Amino acid sequence: MKKKILIVNSFYTPDIVGGAEISTQVLAESLNQQFEVYVLTSSNNKDIIYEEINGVQVIRIPNRNIYSALDNYAPNTVEKLYWHFNNTFNKKQKKAINQIIQEIRPDIIHTQNLNGIGTYIWKLGKVNNTLIMHTLRDYQLIQPTKIGLINKLIASINKKRAKHVDVVVGISRYILDEFVSNDFFNCASRKVIYNTINNKTVEKNLKKEKGPLKVSYFGRLETEKGIEFFLDSMCNVEENKVGEILVVGTGSIADQLIEKYSQDSRIKFLGKLPFEEAQEKMSYVDVVVVPSLWPEPFGRVVIESYRQGTPVVATNVGGIPEIIYNKELIINPNDKKSMREKVELIYNLGAEEYNQLSKDCLEYSLKYSRTHEDYISLYRKILAEDE
């Protein structure tokens, strides 16, 4: 009989807010051959919904809060504070989750992002004699808001609850060290497992001669993602070196950016594209830039770009340096001169050199295509230890 794994994340396909949802789906579907996999997630439905997606049993519980990240809604400061308080102490949600755990009786509860679910699930798992694993995909347990006092209060609660976690996994060494340095998960064993990236490779047209580069950004249009840093840098590169600048994604400063850079005809804002179409654009361009100003826990777009044979220029923040193939293409945040130099370095490559770099990037990306096997080994190890 297969062991039961209950994977928990704030949202699940087709509700995709960010990279965590993609990574959770990849993980759940990759594990389904070895284990009986369930996913517990939140939704805007009024009732609990049970469904099957690609062999995975998905349970969607109502979002019992005043708003959801799935809503097209901009809450004020008071509403945000109430939301986080309710997320931390939601008795109705807690009762519903406890009933689901008792129905499934999982051998392992594997939590990911917990906004909309609540960290009380760790204790619920322990009360129901279940092993608890948590994967760190963001910093919400430490910094859920922009208000320091509120963060300190919620972080202290989460830190106490984290004592129920048996194993903690970081999607990079950086994020794992960040939590350990803040005295989280002191009772848990620790491991780094990078995200599994198994998107299909779109055939790339090999360069035959030197010409203007097609450069692109993929991600949320927010200040901390470095989108203005990227566009300011590219606007100052001659048109004979950079001929197209594509921006794929949306966010709170999208309209502001469209207006600010309307004079540069090379810049095209494509909005949020379906996943497959975004991968095609990654293959189409010559360079992807990841200009983040904040410490990305992993930097999924880096490996996705490599999977399309496209080299990446990226900032030296968070977990990004751990996964960059060509260290020569790492830059410091807000260093516009360095970004221009790195893009021009790629422009100056001969066709044969660029094509070889492209092949090397693709080959390197394959090491991230089966990291879910590390989870399988880890599950089996802790299950054997528990017998």
Side-chain angles (χ1 to χ4, degrees):
M1 182 179 295
K2 290 182 179 179
K3 297 290 186 178
K4 296 179 180 179
I5 309 296
L6 176 61
I7 297 176
V8 184
N9 193 59
S10 301
F11 304 106
Y12 193 75
T13 188
D15 299 331
I16 297 176
V17 175
E21 285 69 54
I22 298 172
S23 296
T24 300
Q25 181 184 2
V26 171
L27 176 63
E29 293 179 3
S30 299
L31 297 171
N32 205 34
Q33 296 297 317
Q34 306 288 333
F35 302 93
E36 189 174 337
V37 180
Y38 298 81
V39 169
L40 175 63
T41 188
S42 68
S43 75
N44 285 352
N45 298 314
K46 294 182 178 180
D47 302 305
I48 297 177
I49 303 295
Y50 293 81
E51 60 183 324
E52 182 176 317
I53 300 177
N54 297 335
V56 176
Q57 304 300 315
V58 180
I59 305 166
R60 301 184 191 273
I61 59 175
N63 173 50
R64 294 180 172 89
N65 213 323
I66 59 173
Y67 63 87
S68 165
L70 298 175
D71 299 330
N72 185 20
Y73 179 68
N76 59 41
T77 300
V78 174
E79 289 172 324
K80 288 180 180 179
L81 293 179
Y82 180 80
W83 188 96
H84 283 288
F85 177 84
N86 199 29
N87 189 67
T88 305
F89 306 103
N90 194 325
K91 291 184 178 180
K92 289 184 178 180
Q93 196 81 308
K94 184 177 179 179
K95 182 179 179 181
I97 291 171
N98 189 52
Q99 290 176 342
I100 290 169
I101 292 173
Q102 291 177 348
E103 288 173 11
I104 297 174
R105 301 184 65 82
D107 297 285
I108 296 175
I109 293 176
H110 183 177
T111 56
Q112 323 279 311
N113 288 356
L114 289 173
N115 277 346
I117 303 292
T119 53
Y120 44 72
I121 191 174
W122 295 331
K123 185 174 181 180
L124 292 179
K126 278 301 172 188
V127 170
N128 287 283
N129 299 313
T130 302
L131 291 165
I132 309 297
M133 180 187 298
H134 181 71
T135 292
L136 295 165
R137 298 193 180 279
D138 64 19
Y139 306 101
Q140 285 288 317
L141 299 178
I142 297 177
Q143 296 177 324
T145 75
K146 295 182 179 180
I147 303 174
L149 184 61
I150 299 300
N151 288 345
K152 189 174 181 179
L153 174 62
I154 295 177
S156 67
I157 295 169
N158 291 336
K159 189 183 299 184
K160 290 178 181 177
R161 292 174 175 176
K163 68 182 180 181
H164 299 294
V165 175
D166 298 293
V167 181
V168 60
V169 175
I171 58 172
S172 65
R173 172 58 58 186
Y174 180 90
I175 194 171
L176 182 59
D177 289 346
E178 184 73 11
F179 277 85
V180 170
S181 67
N182 280 277
D183 294 324
F184 269 74
F185 305 105
N186 289 335
C187 299
S189 60
R190 304 160 187 167
K191 188 173 180 62
V192 174
I193 300 178
Y194 295 108
N195 285 330
T196 293
I197 311 293
N198 60 6
N199 46 303
K200 294 181 180 178
T201 299
V202 179
E203 185 175 355
K204 193 175 188 71
N205 290 324
L206 297 180
K207 273 187 172 295
K208 296 179 180 177
E209 56 186 27
K210 192 172 182 179
L213 296 175
K214 300 182 288 289
V215 184
S216 190
Y217 167 90
F218 295 82
R220 292 184 294 110
L221 304 188
E222 305 291 347
T223 300
E224 68 270 16
K225 301 293 280 187
I227 177 63
E228 290 178 276
F229 160 44
F230 163 67
L231 292 175
D232 285 346
S233 301
M234 292 302 97
C235 284
N236 290 318
V237 179
E238 298 94 327
E239 292 188 14
N240 67 309
K241 294 180 179 178
V242 172
E244 288 185 61
I245 305 167
L246 305 184
V247 178
V248 178
T250 188
S252 64
I253 62 172
D255 292 341
Q256 174 186 326
L257 294 172
I258 291 171
E259 181 178 358
K260 179 178 178 180
Y261 298 100
S262 61
Q263 299 304 310
D264 194 324
S265 61
R266 296 175 297 171
I267 301 176
K268 298 179 177 62
F269 289 90
L270 304 182
K272 186 175 182 179
L273 300 178
F275 183 76
E276 292 77 10
E277 191 173 342
Q279 302 304 300
E280 291 174 2
K281 290 298 182 186
M282 284 182 181
S283 175
Y284 167 75
V285 299
D286 303 303
V287 188
V288 168
V289 176
V290 181
S292 289
L293 306 180
W294 77 291
E296 299 275 358
F298 177 73
R300 185 181 186 88
V301 70
V302 173
I303 306 303
E304 288 183 347
S305 300
Y306 288 159
R307 197 63 184 265
Q308 305 307 333
T310 303
V312 174
V313 174
T315 47
N316 185 28
V317 296
I320 290 177
E322 298 176 43
I323 61 174
I324 286 288
Y325 165 67
N326 190 330
K327 305 300 182 186
E328 189 179 3
L329 297 179
I330 295 177
I331 60 175
N332 290 323
N334 274 325
D335 188 344
K336 298 176 185 178
K337 180 174 181 291
S338 183
M339 182 185 287
R340 291 194 297 270
E341 288 174 349
K342 301 305 181 184
V343 169
E344 289 177 359
L345 184 153
I346 295 175
Y347 167 78
N348 287 324
L349 293 177
E352 187 175 341
E353 291 176 295
Y354 177 87
N355 293 338
Q356 185 59 54
L357 175 60
S358 174
K359 291 176 183 177
D360 291 343
C361 288
L362 174 56
E363 183 176 354
Y364 172 80
S365 74
L366 299 179
K367 66 183 285 189
Y368 294 90
S369 64
R370 303 193 64 82
T371 58
H372 63 276
E373 293 179 353
D374 293 332
Y375 277 111
I376 293 174
S377 298
L378 190 54
Y379 288 161
R380 287 175 173 164
K381 180 177 183 290
I382 65 175
L383 286 169
E385 291 173 350
D386 192 54
E387 290 178 353

